């Protein structure tokens, strides 16, 4: 199946949206080496790129994007669904997300599922923080801090 790609420039770098006719397959963060963009991007990629641009401009607080099914464990899928339930401008700890998915002792596994999330920002893994502060982020703590600040979150180190 053909993959289409386009890049969205933001103040924290370029994010590449990748997808196919079924939906968005992946979003590459600024530090990740993304394959070249394509001339034709398809509706799903164009829609996701527009919404991502609006998010970074501060005019979008939720996403209506078709995500293409990706290889994942059942636990990862459960975590990604839970992440989508976290409202704009809010945070949850890894332990709280573990509770949400019915696995209260799986906070570390939640972190691993976050790291495997193929759709950062759209599936908001940046909203998951450590019990003692910011916690990690695949794109780096500076980008995580920026995203949370953009959403109005205060008091996270």
């Amino acid at each position: 199946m053909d993959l289409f790609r386009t890049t969205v420039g933001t103040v924290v770098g370029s994010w590449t949206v990748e997808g196919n006719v079924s939906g968005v397959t992946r979003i590459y963060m600024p530090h990740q080496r993304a394959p070249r963009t394509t001339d034709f991007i398809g509706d799903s990629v164009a829609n996701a790129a527009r919404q991502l641009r609006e998010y970074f401009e501060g005019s979008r607080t939720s996403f209506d994007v078709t995500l293409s099914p990706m290889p994942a464990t059942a636990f990862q899928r459960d975590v990604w669904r839970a992440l989508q339930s976290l409202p704009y401008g809010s945070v949850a700890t890894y332990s709280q997300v573990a509770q949400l998915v019915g696995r209260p002792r799986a906070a570390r596994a939640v972190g691993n599922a976050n790291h495997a999330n193929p759709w950062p920002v759209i599936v908001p893994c940046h909203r998951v923080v450590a019990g003692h502060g910011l916690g990690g982020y695949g794109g780096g703590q500076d980008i995580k801090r920026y995203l949370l600040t953009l959403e109005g979150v205060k008091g996270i180190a």
Side-chain angles (χ1 to χ4, degrees), residues 55 60-63 77-101 110-111 113-114 117 119 121-130 134 136-137 144 147-148 151 153:
Y55 170 84
R60 176 169 290 278
T61 60
S62 64
F63 293 93
R77 285 189 185 92
D78 289 346
V79 169
W80 299 340
R81 273 191 296 278
L83 297 179
Q84 290 177 293
S85 74
L86 299 177
Y88 181 92
S90 70
V91 294
T93 65
Y94 295 98
S95 294
Q96 288 169 328
V97 174
Q99 292 279 346
L100 283 173
V101 299
V110 167
N114 275 7
N117 172 17
W119 310 284
V121 178
I122 290 176
V123 175
C125 53
H126 63 277
R127 294 182 188 150
V128 182
V129 298
L134 190 61
Y137 186 63
K144 182 173 185 170
L147 297 172
L148 293 174
E151 295 186 14
V153 174

Side-chain angles (χ1 to χ4, degrees), residues 2-153:
D2 289 335
L3 290 174
F4 316 117
R5 288 174 213 91
T6 193
T7 300
V8 176
T10 74
V11 298
V12 292
S14 296
W15 300 69
T16 299
V17 180
E18 177 182 85
N20 55 36
V21 295
S22 299
V24 175
T25 56
R26 183 169 180 188
I27 296 177
Y28 293 87
M29 292 188 234
H31 74 283
Q32 294 174 313
R33 187 177 180 98
R36 288 187 317 192
T37 59
T38 57
D39 292 332
F40 177 76
I41 60 171
D43 293 339
S44 63
V45 170
N47 180 46
R50 177 183 54 77
Q51 291 186 38
L52 196 59
R53 195 172 297 109
E54 292 168 353
Y55 170 84
F56 278 100
E57 291 169 352
S59 63
R60 176 169 290 278
T61 60
S62 64
F63 293 93
D64 182 19
V65 172
T66 302
L67 303 175
S68 185
M70 298 299 292
T73 66
F75 179 77
Q76 287 172 326
R77 285 189 185 92
D78 289 346
V79 169
W80 299 340
R81 273 191 296 278
L83 297 179
Q84 290 177 293
S85 74
L86 299 177
Y88 181 92
S90 70
V91 294
T93 65
Y94 295 98
S95 294
Q96 288 169 328
V97 174
Q99 292 279 346
L100 283 173
V101 299
R103 301 269 306 273
R105 295 183 181 185
R108 186 175 298 233
V110 167
N112 290 333
N114 275 7
H115 188 71
N117 172 17
W119 310 284
V121 178
I122 290 176
V123 175
C125 53
H126 63 277
R127 294 182 188 150
V128 182
V129 298
H132 60 279
L134 190 61
Y137 186 63
Q141 287 188 327
D142 288 342
I143 290 180
K144 182 173 185 170
R145 205 173 279 111
Y146 175 84
L147 297 172
L148 293 174
T149 301
L150 175 68
E151 295 186 14
V153 174

